[in-house]
Amino acid sequence: MNKLKVGVIGGTGMVGQRFVSLLAEHPWFELTAIAASSRSAGKTYEEAAGSRWALEVPMPEKAKGIVVQSATDDKEAIASQVDFVFSAVDMQKDEIKALEEAYAKLECPVVSNNSAHRWTPDVPMVVPEINPGHLEIIPAQRKRLGTKRGFIAVKSNCSLQSYVPALHPLKDEFGLTEALVCTYQAISGAGKTFETWPEMVDNVIPYIGGEEEKSEQEPMKLWGTIQDGKIVNTDTPNITSQCLRVPVSDGHMAAVFMSFAGEKPSIEEIKETWANYKGRAQELELPSAPKQFLHYFEDPNYPQTKLQRDLEGGMAISLGRLREDTQYDYKFVGLSHNTLRGAAGGGVLLAELLAAEGYLIHK
């Protein structure tokens, strides 16, 4: 097939590196442009990112010789070279909002890993297995922006992937009313390694700025509805959270407590619902989609971060320890790979969904 040409904006950071790595052999997308700060502009990608390469996999050969452009100064040139871009820039939120809108108005669709536009009412924040229907807001957004091709679509916060996918099929089926979530988040979520953040070795930090608000509020938009050209949040179930940084390289874990309205389902019914659940990504057999979205482990020692975070290419969700609770109805543990399913991999999967549904096309 004739691949869509794609650029990575913010390609030298950790999430940008993940995008570059995932695009190296992608069957639908061809990496043709990389942009970063003006400090990196004019250098090859190998020169700009080589000493900061943070992934265990080597830098793709195809990317090494690409000359890095300025994300801010070379917008027009980049937009003319690609069919769409992934955004993983590290800037102030208002600067990110303006930059992503600028690319969209240049008729260059943006698939963003950033949080800047997650609360823009006509910007879809999509997990392909949960709310693919929110893509239908894109025509309203294009009307506001005055574009024909350009738009912005975003993925949700990385920590949500460890518990929202498990709650989603239970929400409507059994009347989920509330959840208490404690997340234990890897240092790569802060763009760090143990070499660059030695303070995290043998340490836990009980605060991640803004993370608890995202964990409680973003699911409300994922489960919201489109009304009059805007995505209107739902107000149920109620979610409260605590988020801790733990000394793990990759992988976010969640301890989840949940209650249901009326007669609660049995443990067997919940497990069966998880095992049978498939989303739009599985129906379309998207290249990055896990064959089995939710994996449940009967052994109470699982899931373990080191053993299960890479399940199905790091795109599956691992669950375990489902049992009754004394204050809530049930409790369980969830795990997701934060820079794959939670960041760049989730962004690539969203782009695949956008392409399959006809929102990303060749110029």
Side-chain angles (χ1 to χ4, degrees), residues 4-8 23 29-33 82-86:
L4 291 166
K5 295 179 179 179
V6 59
V8 177
L23 292 168
F29 307 143
E30 178 185 0
L31 178 65
T32 57
V82 301
D83 295 308
F84 74 100
V85 295
F86 290 109

Side-chain angles (χ1 to χ4, degrees), residues 163-180 223 236-238 256-274 319 322-325 327-332:
Y163 61 95
V164 171
L167 296 178
H168 176 68
L170 308 179
K171 183 176 73 74
D172 295 328
E173 181 76 15
F174 302 117
L176 181 72
T177 57
E178 57 184 344
L180 182 154
W223 289 324
T236 58
N238 294 316
V256 185
F257 303 75
M258 59 184 179
S259 290
F260 299 90
E263 183 178 352
K264 68 183 182 183
S266 67
I267 287 178
E268 290 70 25
E269 286 176 316
I270 293 174
K271 289 179 182 178
E272 184 179 359
T273 298
W274 284 342
L319 306 171
L322 176 64
R323 60 218 190 275
E324 291 188 343
D325 183 62
Q327 298 182 42
Y328 290 77
D329 286 335
Y330 293 109
K331 52 192 171 187
F332 68 91

Side-chain angles (χ1 to χ4, degrees), residues 3-201:
K3 293 184 179 183
L4 291 166
K5 295 179 179 179
V6 59
V8 177
I9 310 302
T12 57
M14 183 175 286
V15 174
Q17 292 175 21
R18 277 287 185 199
F19 275 121
V20 169
S21 176
L22 292 171
L23 292 168
E25 302 296 333
H26 196 280
W28 293 6
F29 307 143
E30 178 185 0
L31 178 65
T32 57
I34 301 174
S37 69
S38 56
R39 296 187 305 274
S40 298
K43 300 177 182 178
T44 66
Y45 187 63
E46 186 174 27
E47 293 169 340
S51 63
R52 293 186 287 154
W53 188 257
L55 307 185
E56 292 183 359
V57 297
M59 181 182 292
E61 290 295 326
K62 294 178 181 178
K64 290 181 177 180
I66 294 177
V67 177
V68 178
Q69 301 177 72
S70 169
T72 54
D73 297 337
D74 298 323
K75 295 187 294 294
E76 291 82 0
I78 295 166
S80 68
Q81 295 167 18
V82 301
D83 295 308
F84 74 100
V85 295
F86 290 109
S87 175
V89 293
D90 183 11
M91 303 165 65
Q92 295 296 317
K93 188 168 292 189
D94 58 343
E95 295 174 330
I96 295 173
K97 290 183 73 171
L99 184 66
E100 291 180 350
E101 279 210 3
Y103 275 94
K105 288 179 178 179
L106 288 168
E107 300 294 358
C108 180
V110 178
V111 179
S112 179
N113 184 74
N114 301 301
S115 65
H117 273 292
R118 287 181 193 157
W119 292 109
T120 304
D122 59 10
V123 170
M125 179 175 68
V126 173
V127 177
E129 291 90 347
I130 292 176
N131 62 329
H134 281 194
L135 297 185
E136 295 173 9
I137 196 72
I138 289 174
Q141 184 195 147
R142 283 173 168 161
K143 184 177 181 180
R144 173 177 63 85
L145 295 174
T147 61
K148 294 181 179 179
R149 291 185 77 257
F151 64 88
I152 302 164
V154 302
K155 53 163 294 301
S156 62
N157 190 44
C158 55
S159 67
L160 270 64
Q161 314 304 317
S162 59
Y163 61 95
V164 171
L167 296 178
H168 176 68
L170 308 179
K171 183 176 73 74
D172 295 328
E173 181 76 15
F174 302 117
L176 181 72
T177 57
E178 57 184 344
L180 182 154
V181 180
C182 296
T183 60
Y184 306 88
Q185 302 186 201
I187 63 174
S188 56
K192 304 286 189 178
T193 64
F194 287 116
E195 288 73 26
T196 60
W197 201 5
E199 298 86 353
M200 274 306 302
V201 176

